[in-house]
Amino acid sequence: MSRARQTFIVLALLAVPGSAFAHTAIKGANNFFNGFLHPVVVPAHLLLLIAVGLFFGQQKLKEIHMPLMVFLLSTMSGLVATTVSRAYQVEDIILAGAAIVGLLIAIAHPIKLFWISTVGAVAGFLLGFDSMQDTLFGVQKYVGLFGSAVGIYCFSLYPMLIADYFKKKPWQKIGIRVIGSWIAASALLVLALSMSAARL
Amino acid sequence: MRRMNIFATAVTLVLYAGIATAHTGAGVSGGFFSGFTHPIMGWDHVVAMVAVGLWGAFLGNPAIWILPVVFPLVMAFGGALGVMGVPIPAVETGIALSAIVLGAMVAFAIRPPIWAAAVIVGTFAIFHGHAHGTELPSAANPLAYSLGFVIATGLLHLSGIAFGVLARWPAGKAAVQAGGGVIALVGVAFLTGIV
């Protein structure tokens, strides 16, 4: 075999290796980032987060600082509660919460500040309580839980700002209400599936 | 030797072929994709969803947004019945009838009170939801699947609304009514088994 042919074969084989899929976003992430991304990789959490964010965004922005604070505090309470208690079947309650908040968005009826804060309190606690880091221990666990708190809060702000921005024109408000009905419909369906599976 | 060269070249070229990573059909993305395509791939769903948007736009405010909000919510109820195995008779007939009735409403420019329009749309939504719901337990990710088909349904409504907005102009009104007539005829074709 000539040297040119040998060189060709070596170069050809070197060109063969495929792409290196080293790791997924979660596997390579540190504990903080794992916790931070937790709400967006669990579809039920993401659904409730979007719902709560849109619901807050539908309200008057000047009045929303109190429910936002309640949401943050109750999220942290839920995360702290994971260190002393274990969550069972919380995902179904989260879906039920998403369905209720989705309906509230679709109805878009004026709601008193107390009830807006209550929605934030319940949603925040549920999201926190279902974000346990049971594979981590010690300081690593608290770093992961802190990441979850930051993630839940940050990812709820995006839909809130979107809903606030898109309430200048009637069709924009309608769009947000339609999305609320989609959230409620999806959550109700999966809740029905979960209930039927539990019944069998 | 020449055959050997051809064989070596062929083997080398075969090795260049990359793996197909377009989609796996599993997990969240697979569930969402299968849910999203479910209403779009079925023409009986497509024409009925477009008809809902078309009728909403034809009726004007507030029907233009009430119907697309009512539909997914009642559809979820129908889907829940399907998931729980509660039988509904003649689901496919109901879906075909939805295209006929909603298409005819637009074609004949029928303007019932908003509550009556919502009841009509909601009734048919149960049939569509039931059909989607029976597929839900086998989905790769049920929540992603349900989100996919609800969003696809909403976008089909939107395409109907976009076309229905033409009804603001006299020529557009005729086009929208003709569109309703076509939808009703397609529904007849589904009901009689022509398509």
Side-chain angles (χ1 to χ4, degrees):
Chain A
M1 190 182 287
S2 68
R3 183 164 288 184
R5 185 168 292 172
Q6 284 177 342
T7 308
F8 167 75
I9 291 171
V10 169
L11 287 175
L13 289 174
L14 279 175
V16 167
S19 315
F21 297 108
H23 52 72
T24 64
I26 298 298
K27 278 183 183 171
N30 60 30
N31 297 325
F32 175 83
F33 201 50
N34 258 320
F36 182 79
L37 289 179
H38 188 264
V40 286
V41 294
V42 181
H45 285 211
L46 187 60
L47 204 63
L48 182 56
L49 267 182
I50 294 172
V52 169
L54 292 177
F55 177 67
F56 282 172
Q58 269 187 326
Q59 318 304 324
K60 290 175 186 166
L61 204 60
K62 286 178 183 172
E63 295 176 359
I64 211 69
H65 60 274
M66 178 60 83
L68 266 177
M69 187 59 75
V70 171
F71 179 68
L72 177 62
L73 290 174
S74 57
T75 300
M76 290 166 79
S77 307
L79 288 165
V80 170
T82 63
T83 60
V84 292
S85 178
R86 179 173 275 268
Y88 291 104
Q89 300 287 329
V90 178
E91 197 158 308
D92 284 353
I93 305 171
I94 287 176
L95 283 171
I100 292 167
V101 181
L103 277 173
L104 290 173
I105 296 167
I107 295 165
H109 190 74
I111 298 171
K112 286 184 178 174
L113 196 61
F114 171 78
W115 292 111
I116 299 169
S117 301
T118 305
V119 167
V122 174
F125 185 83
L126 287 173
L127 288 168
F129 193 51
D130 199 37
S131 301
M132 71 179 97
Q133 301 282 350
D134 49 1
T135 56
L136 299 176
F137 300 96
V139 177
Q140 290 180 336
K141 190 184 186 95
Y142 289 104
V143 170
L145 290 174
F146 180 65
S148 291
V150 176
I152 289 168
Y153 199 66
C154 286
F155 290 120
S156 68
L157 294 179
Y158 289 107
M160 191 187 91
L161 292 176
I162 288 169
D164 180 63
Y165 184 78
F166 288 109
K167 63 182 179 191
K168 294 177 179 69
K169 294 180 179 175
W171 68 266
Q172 294 174 335
K173 291 180 187 173
I174 290 167
I176 299 297
R177 292 172 78 166
V178 169
I179 293 172
S181 73
W182 292 358
I183 291 170
S186 303
L188 280 171
L189 273 164
V190 182
L191 206 56
L193 179 65
S194 177
M195 285 167 69
S196 69
R199 199 178 54 176
L200 292 174
Chain B
M1 189 61 195
R2 194 177 168 197
R3 186 171 289 180
M4 188 66 190
N5 280 347
I6 294 169
F7 179 72
T9 308
V11 168
T12 308
L13 290 173
V14 164
L15 289 172
Y16 275 108
I19 51 171
T21 52
H23 53 78
T24 59
V28 175
S29 59
F32 181 84
F33 186 76
S34 60
F36 191 81
T37 52
H38 192 249
I40 295 172
M41 293 300 182
W43 275 102
D44 46 354
H45 292 298
V46 170
V47 291
M49 297 307 104
V50 172
V52 169
L54 205 59
W55 197 29
F58 194 78
L59 293 176
N61 215 9
I64 195 168
W65 65 268
I66 284 183
L67 299 188
V69 167
V70 165
F71 195 94
L73 291 174
V74 185
M75 186 175 73
F77 174 68
L81 294 178
V83 164
M84 292 178 147
V86 178
I88 291 181
V91 170
E92 292 303 321
T93 306
I95 291 171
L97 275 175
S98 67
I100 296 171
V101 173
L102 296 172
M105 292 288 179
V106 178
F108 296 111
I110 297 169
R111 294 177 180 275
I114 183 63
W115 64 265
V119 167
I120 291 168
V121 164
T123 305
F124 289 126
I126 291 175
F127 292 105
H128 288 270
H130 196 276
H132 294 311
T134 48
E135 301 281 332
L136 194 64
S138 57
N141 183 303
L143 184 54
Y145 176 91
S146 64
L147 266 174
F149 89 70
V150 168
I151 290 173
T153 299
L155 293 178
L156 287 170
H157 289 160
L158 188 63
S159 57
I161 290 170
F163 185 53
V165 168
L166 292 175
R168 290 177 183 179
W169 297 279
K173 191 178 176 186
V176 170
Q177 284 185 268
V182 170
I183 288 172
L185 288 175
V186 171
V188 171
F190 282 128
L191 194 64
T192 54
I194 295 171
V195 289

